Amino acid sequence: MRIVVMPPFDKEFFATDRLDLAPHNLFDLVDRLDGLAPGFAAIAQPRVHFAVDGVLEADWSRDLATASEVIVLPRVGGG
């Protein structure tokens, strides 16, 4: 599955904006990303949103078996 990493995470953690991984769910994705870039898991909960096939996904336990793309993007604060 294609993993697209948006700024600032691409440069801050991975030195690329595209990865090819096959996670089972978003928890597994975070673990795999942390394996590639130690420290990512620590910032994921407060700083990261995930879009699965173009839709923001809040349930990190969602099965990704049928997904084709996950976008890793920063949370945006509002007021």
Side-chain angles (χ1 to χ4, degrees):
M1 152 187 338
R2 179 177 49 229
I3 309 299
V4 179
V5 183
M6 301 299 291
F9 308 122
D10 56 347
K11 291 180 177 48
E12 185 178 350
F13 288 97
F14 304 104
T16 185
D17 65 349
R18 302 270 192 261
L19 299 165
D20 186 25
L21 301 170
H24 302 291
N25 56 40
L26 294 175
F27 287 115
D28 185 33
L29 177 59
V30 170
D31 286 343
R32 291 173 188 235
L33 293 175
D34 193 62
L36 296 171
F40 181 80
I43 64 95
Q45 187 68 32
R47 291 183 52 197
V48 177
H49 268 308
F50 296 101
V52 178
D53 292 335
V55 178
L56 284 179
E57 182 59 64
D59 180 5
W60 285 20
S61 66
R62 177 185 175 221
D63 184 22
L64 296 177
T66 61
S68 60
E69 176 182 77
V70 175
I71 301 173
V72 180
L73 59 153
R75 288 183 183 262
V76 178

